[in-house]
Amino acid sequence: MHDNVLALLSGDLSPSARIWTALAPALFAVAYFLGGLLLFCIRCAIKGIPRDAETLTRGKSMLVGFFLRHYFFWVIQPLWRLLLRSGLPANALSMLSGLLGVSSGVAVAAGRFALGGWLFLMAGVLDVMDGRVARTRKEANPAGAALDSVLDRYVDSAMLMGLAWYYRDTWVLLPALGALLGSSLVPYVRAKGEGLGVSVRDGAMQRLERVLFLGVGTALSPILEALFWPTEKHPMHWLAVVGLVFVAVLSNVTAVSRFRTLVKALAPKRPVQPRSGVALFGFNAAAGAIATAVDFAAVLAMVEWAGLSPVLATVVGCVLGGVVNYSINRVITFRSHGAVAPQLARYTLVSGSSALLNAGGVALLTLHPQLAYTLGWWLVRGVIYFAWNLPLQRDYVFNDTSPDALLEQEPHAA
């Protein structure tokens, strides 16, 4: 018995013990929640869905819809009532959630994924409870809300830092850092929006989804490792890796989506574009593809048929491709009627700066030889296109309503 306790505390477990330490809490949770789901469905068929008023104020999510949220808050009513009758202050629940969450990060950093995952899930459940306890007792105040919000960031960061430490010598470090970035930006953009009077709560990866995917994936991952890789001293915990990558991608997608919504809501209203955003992107991308094809064909013809040097042919090809790209965008994509010479000057400035940004970005990524240069090239190309080329061509080069363009159209005083 003594040896078993020491093995449990140290993590030096046999494959079967590793399975049961992860599976035992999961079996209890699955039995409770599946039984609760059955009763909830019966209750909904008889009396309708018991709607949780606070859930309706939250943002929409395609991963965990309102039905599942109403069910969750209905099925944890026993725990909710127990905490309410215990008399524990809401701030104490927040602190306990924070302590459990930070402990989960320490556990996963040491390789104790089952322990860390369940601690993280327990911290998430308590985080749901603290604010409800405060509001039910009419004790809610800004200080408690600030404490809860800051502790949530510590909990998320601790868990992801623990995962990053465990995976520090593998490629999984990158999605761990990406998840840390996205998980910080999602609530920040929402808070910034609320401070500016704009509500941005929607998104696929909100905190409930982050807790579920990270917690469940981490808690259950030792089962697969013990079944398929029982002799690994430093197992990959592939179920946790899948959850981590999923959170990394969707949390950043949610953050960018909220950021875009916020900027769009705050930006001054512009005249209606002659084309939709999707059409602009499609025509602009097509113009770039056609120009690249013309550039390549011209270089090939000048080198192979005309006998010009590749360097001279490349320069001529770039100029020819730029003229084709400018012409298609002016006539078809943006339907611009501004003066050609100033537009060409602006187009040259944007294209030249784009070339420098692309070259600089690729040069920076080549400092990391573990990243394939082809992947780095496409990554930089995509980022510069969406962050620099397309917005500037739309709002600066071909925007006939911009101040510069309007000045070009006004007659000069004699």
Side-chain angles (χ1 to χ4, degrees):
M1 179 66 179
H2 180 262
D3 293 339
N4 291 335
V5 173
L6 287 179
L8 182 63
L9 293 176
S10 64
D12 186 18
L13 303 174
S14 65
S16 61
R18 285 161 58 189
I19 292 175
W20 281 109
T21 55
L23 191 58
L27 289 174
F28 173 79
V30 168
Y32 180 80
F33 282 100
L34 282 182
L37 181 60
L38 177 61
L39 294 176
F40 182 74
C41 291
I42 295 173
R43 196 264 186 210
C44 292
I46 297 173
K47 296 183 178 181
I49 299 176
R51 298 185 179 276
D52 180 75
E54 186 171 331
T55 297
L56 295 173
T57 65
R58 302 287 181 179
K60 296 181 293 183
S61 171
M62 64 179 180
L63 297 178
V64 182
F66 281 124
F67 177 82
L68 290 178
R69 294 189 184 196
H70 289 311
Y71 152 71
F72 175 76
F73 290 114
W74 181 84
V75 81
I76 62 172
Q77 284 297 316
L79 176 60
W80 153 249
R81 294 192 182 97
L82 178 64
L83 291 174
L84 192 62
R85 291 174 182 173
S86 70
L88 282 171
N91 285 352
L93 298 177
S94 297
M95 290 301 301
L96 181 57
S97 172
L99 291 172
L100 293 179
V102 172
S103 300
S104 71
V106 176
V108 296
R112 300 297 305 279
F113 274 52
L115 176 61
W118 290 115
L119 286 174
F120 188 64
L121 288 170
M122 290 168 62
V125 172
L126 287 175
D127 178 56
V128 170
M129 298 294 185
D130 55 6
R132 289 170 178 262
V133 167
R135 285 183 286 275
T136 301
R137 294 177 181 163
K138 302 189 185 316
E139 298 173 352
N141 57 75
L147 175 70
D148 179 51
S149 180
V150 172
L151 286 175
D152 286 350
R153 306 290 78 77
Y154 271 108
V155 168
D156 290 350
S157 299
M159 180 63 166
L160 292 168
M161 288 172 65
L163 289 168
W165 179 260
Y166 182 83
Y167 291 114
R168 62 190 182 277
D169 295 324
T170 71
W171 63 269
V172 187
L173 175 62
L174 186 59
L177 295 176
L180 182 61
L181 175 64
S183 299
S184 301
L185 283 175
V186 168
Y188 175 78
V189 176
R190 189 190 75 178
K192 189 65 177 178
E194 290 174 351
L196 295 171
V198 179
S199 178
V200 279
R201 288 177 170 267
D202 293 347
M205 189 58 65
Q206 301 178 51
R207 186 156 200 272
L208 174 61
E209 289 80 4
R210 294 198 300 272
V211 170
L212 284 176
F213 286 104
L214 274 180
V216 172
T218 302
L220 299 183
S221 62
I223 298 174
L224 292 181
E225 303 303 318
L227 287 174
F228 297 104
W229 302 280
T231 60
E232 289 287 336
K233 297 299 183 183
H234 191 85
M236 281 294 289
H237 292 286
W238 286 106
L239 197 59
V241 171
V242 171
L244 184 58
V245 171
F246 195 65
V247 169
V249 173
L250 286 188
S251 62
N252 282 283
V253 169
T254 299
V256 171
S257 175
R258 285 186 174 186
F259 176 55
R260 183 174 180 272
T261 300
L262 176 61
V263 172
K264 186 176 180 180
L266 295 173
K269 299 302 179 184
R270 296 183 304 181
V272 179
Q273 293 281 352
R275 295 192 186 279
S276 67
V278 175
L280 285 180
F281 165 70
F283 280 108
N284 190 255
I290 294 171
T292 301
V294 170
D295 181 358
F296 178 75
V299 170
L300 194 63
M302 284 183 285
V303 172
E304 298 295 331
W305 297 343
L308 293 181
S309 69
V311 175
L312 180 59
T314 299
V315 172
V316 176
C318 285
V319 173
L320 184 58
V323 171
V324 170
N325 184 270
Y326 167 81
S327 303
I328 294 175
N329 280 320
R330 174 181 168 87
V331 176
I332 298 176
T333 305
F334 299 100
R335 297 173 177 173
S336 173
H337 301 285
V340 173
Q343 268 190 0
L344 275 173
R346 295 194 294 268
Y347 176 83
T348 302
L349 174 62
V350 172
S351 298
S353 57
S354 172
L356 291 175
L357 289 170
N358 275 285
V362 171
L364 285 175
L365 290 184
T366 55
L367 298 176
H368 301 273
Q370 65 272 23
L371 179 67
Y373 78 92
T374 51
L375 177 61
W377 187 91
W378 281 108
L379 179 63
V380 171
R381 197 81 172 185
V383 169
I384 299 304
Y385 175 76
F386 285 106
W388 186 257
N389 293 359
L390 183 59
L392 279 180
Q393 288 193 17
R394 180 193 62 208
D395 301 329
Y396 174 61
V397 177
F398 298 104
N399 183 10
D400 293 343
T401 61
S402 68
D404 289 343
L406 292 176
L407 284 175
E408 293 162 9
Q409 298 172 11
E410 291 180 359
H412 296 282

